[in-house]
Amino acid sequence: MSIIKPGSTVLFQGDSITDAGRELREAGPNLALALGSGYCNHVASQLLRDRPADGLRFYNRGINGHTVADLLARWKADTIDLEPDLISILVGVNDAWHEFMGGGAGLDRFEATYKSLLDLTRQQLPAVQLILGEPFALRCGVVTEAFIPHLRARQRIVQELADEYGTGFVPYQKAMDEALTLAPADHWSYDGSHPTAAGHSVLARCWLETVIQND
């Protein structure tokens, strides 16, 4: 069965990596300003080009700086009320940063909050397709070796939740690591966390290869 059926609404949720400078005042689907300049725009552009007769609708509701708790707090207005058919979530790097800097929620809280978000989604939108994105980082810019264990712990949790809830899982860290064989880290991310234009292209290709190959 096709994951993205004709007439589907696809929603991207997350933090600044998903936000990618989108215009918050633009709320409609398939608008370049509303999709931002990152991987969401890349994905939507390709699928809208390849499937022009399918009436697909793409929304971006990522917000700069958000953690999984921030997503849960706005989930009804920014997710449930849009009644999407597929939700792609990328969150966790800010949770890791907050803990690394000496604050924020620990791993148990991160997992429990993410589960609450998934449970609410399944309760309110029982037919929705869920895609969990792996939080990632590259060792450049502000990202040091000391930060990596905090991120790795959350990567494991997201992978385990994808298995537990039977969702899709997009291995962004693997894709970024493979890109390092072609160019150094600062070609793909300008600070270790946020992708460059090239890095967003890597994320988009990873998303499409993961989701669409199962479509």
Side-chain angles (χ1 to χ4, degrees):
M1 181 179 292
S2 178
I3 291 176
I4 303 179
K5 302 175 184 177
S8 288
T9 295
V10 177
L11 172 64
F12 292 96
Q13 268 288 7
D15 51 38
S16 59
I17 299 166
T18 299
D19 182 325
R22 70 183 178 93
E23 174 51 69
L24 300 181
R25 293 171 295 181
E26 295 288 349
N30 303 344
L31 301 173
L33 288 175
L35 289 168
S37 62
Y39 75 97
C40 305
N41 197 318
H42 288 254
V43 169
S45 296
Q46 179 165 327
L47 293 179
L48 289 169
R49 179 199 67 196
D50 293 347
R51 299 172 58 176
D54 281 357
L56 302 177
R57 297 177 298 277
F58 293 89
Y59 291 92
N60 181 354
R61 289 295 186 270
I63 294 183
N64 181 36
H66 273 200
T67 64
V68 70
D70 295 317
L71 264 63
L72 182 59
R74 61 183 177 85
W75 204 243
K76 183 181 185 302
D78 280 355
T79 301
I80 302 300
D81 289 353
L82 289 174
E83 299 183 343
D85 301 288
L86 185 149
I87 305 169
S88 178
I89 306 167
L90 175 56
V91 70
V93 70
N94 288 321
D95 297 84
W97 275 116
H98 289 185
E99 184 181 54
F100 178 62
M101 298 300 290
L107 291 176
D108 290 345
R109 186 64 175 170
F110 175 79
E111 181 176 6
T113 305
Y114 211 138
K115 281 188 172 184
S116 294
L117 185 150
L118 297 175
D119 289 339
L120 175 62
T121 305
R122 285 278 169 81
Q123 179 185 23
Q124 297 294 317
L125 302 169
V128 75
Q129 297 282 346
L130 287 166
I131 306 294
L132 307 190
E134 179 182 33
F136 65 90
L138 294 177
R139 292 170 176 82
C140 66
V142 299
V143 174
T144 64
E145 195 63 36
F147 170 73
I148 298 301
H150 298 275
L151 178 67
R152 291 281 187 258
R154 285 160 179 81
Q155 289 175 334
R156 287 192 294 272
I157 288 171
V158 175
Q159 174 73 79
E160 290 166 0
L161 289 175
D163 293 339
E164 179 180 346
Y165 283 80
T167 75
F169 177 78
V170 186
Y172 290 128
Q173 186 67 60
K174 179 182 178 182
M176 283 297 206
D177 289 345
E178 289 175 351
L180 295 176
T181 65
L182 303 175
D186 60 5
H187 180 76
W188 310 109
S189 174
Y190 60 85
D191 62 1
S193 292
H194 297 91
T196 59
H200 274 292
S201 182
V202 170
L203 299 184
R205 177 176 292 184
C206 184
W207 195 97
L208 288 163
E209 289 177 350
T210 303
V211 176
I212 302 305
Q213 79 169 9
N214 296 316
D215 195 356

